[in-house]
Amino acid sequence: MKARVWTFVIVLIAIVYCLFEAVGEGDFYIFSSAAGKLDGVTNIYTEKYETYYSYFYSVFFALLLKPFYYLPFFWVKFCWLMLNLFLYYRLFMLLVNAKVLELLEEKQKKFFLLFVFLFSFRFLHENIHASQITILILWCSVYGLYWINNGQTIKGSMVLALGINIKLLPIVLLPYLLYRGHFKAFVITLSVYILSLLLPGLIIGNNYNMDLLLSWFNLINPTNSHHVLDVDERSFHSLTTLLTTLFIENAPDPYAMPLKRNIANVSIETFKFILLGTRLVLVAFTLYFLSLKPFVKAKSQMDRFTEIGYILLLVPLIFPHQQHYAFLFVVPAFAISVYTFIKNKNALTKSHRIVVMLLLIISYLACNLKILLGEFDKYYQHYKILTYGALLLVPLLIWVSVQNKKIAAIE
């Protein structure tokens, strides 16, 4: 009875919350507008929405939204927000029901779940407030891998392919599937992805679809000069944006404050090499977590969580044009770090414990200062504090991997 009451209260809060957030346009208006302009003639990728915003998502996604374009926008947006809250709930419940949590005491488990929720709340709210798509993409990534690892290969591969189609970010998981020997899942995911690119042509015409796909590729191409500096908006965060602020003295940032933040001033050509090299180092470092053993499954569930956490962490870091809400992808890395600390806290030396705790606290603060001390947000945006908070999770995951190896050696 008590559980039913709590469920009712939570659902009621979700409905009221989404009713408030459904007021106004938000990014869902861009999605809907692009779907409305999918008429066989208009190029939805060269059009500007709300004066100067572009549509960055797939033709297939626009086609899926097309039937809803003719319905009252407020209620369609409300349903979209409720769907996103439900997907977040499913992701959180996947964490709640994870077998590794059985190794924690009840109080430890509650503290862990509370801390993960508090860390993720900022990104949850900003995704809902902006009516963004990150929650859906993360759900496709996590549940796709979850089903693949649990023998539901076709189901998982199709969900993962959907995520890649809508927004290219989960494509980083394709090499992972191949490396870990999920050959069937790799083939199905890639095949379904390619089919999903071509499928709209059956409805809107192949020539129109191919023209749109070409325009889409030109728009999201990371080598475009537009994406090299990536400081058009104050809320951009990623390695691209962070390194721009550090290595380009007069970056074309219209929102830059008169406060020094660069440590050097290099040419654009030199900067391109710095950016590419940093990305390659982070991507290559994935091999550290994969233990240089291709085509075999991870030794343990903890190893799998750690390597997937690192790959998802890379998503908002290595891709350009990432907004703050995209950093929802770093939550799994934070969760596995907190879990490992709680589980091993008593076995750590005092100095070891303090260092790990400080890294967790600093990462948490860097990622959540906006909601804790929002009046100084322009300074956090100027110095790209959020990106530093995500980068701090890299040494934490290295520590987690070391702890996993110690446990494996004992067992």
Side-chain angles (χ1 to χ4, degrees), residues 314-328:
L314 291 181
V315 168
L317 290 176
I318 65 174
F319 284 94
H321 205 76
Q322 296 304 300
Q323 295 275 7
H324 41 87
Y325 43 70
F327 282 73
L328 185 70

Side-chain angles (χ1 to χ4, degrees), residues 35-166:
K37 291 179 179 294
L38 200 64
D39 56 10
V41 178
T42 306
N43 189 324
I44 62 175
Y45 296 106
T46 57
E47 289 284 308
K48 295 298 179 181
Y49 308 91
E50 294 187 276
T51 307
Y52 56 89
Y53 291 109
S54 298
Y55 174 73
F56 284 96
Y57 309 96
S58 72
V59 181
F60 183 72
F61 182 58
L63 191 61
L64 289 178
L65 292 180
K66 181 74 173 178
F68 302 100
Y69 175 74
Y70 305 100
L71 300 176
F73 177 76
F74 175 86
W75 291 111
V76 174
K77 182 181 176 183
F78 169 76
C79 292
W80 169 254
L81 298 182
M82 288 294 293
L83 171 65
N84 277 269
L85 279 185
F86 175 73
L87 294 179
Y88 173 86
Y89 166 77
R90 294 299 301 167
L91 286 168
F92 197 78
M93 290 308 297
L94 192 64
L95 180 63
V96 170
N97 296 319
K99 289 185 178 180
V100 293
L101 292 196
E102 296 174 1
L103 301 176
L104 298 180
E105 297 175 2
E106 192 61 30
K107 287 185 179 179
Q108 291 177 323
K109 181 178 178 180
K110 289 179 179 178
F111 177 80
F112 165 73
L113 293 173
L114 176 63
F115 206 17
V116 172
F117 173 75
L118 291 176
F119 180 84
S120 66
F121 178 76
R122 177 218 172 152
F123 307 116
L124 167 65
H125 171 66
E126 290 184 339
N127 272 280
I128 296 298
H129 185 65
S131 59
Q132 249 294 325
I133 201 169
T134 310
I135 298 174
L136 171 61
I137 304 303
L138 182 59
W139 179 85
C140 289
S141 304
V142 172
Y143 264 87
L145 289 176
Y146 173 75
W147 283 321
I148 289 170
N149 280 304
N150 284 276
Q152 296 175 284
T153 303
I154 296 177
K155 181 180 179 181
S157 300
M158 292 183 70
V159 167
L160 182 56
L162 174 65
I164 298 172
N165 172 276
I166 295 174

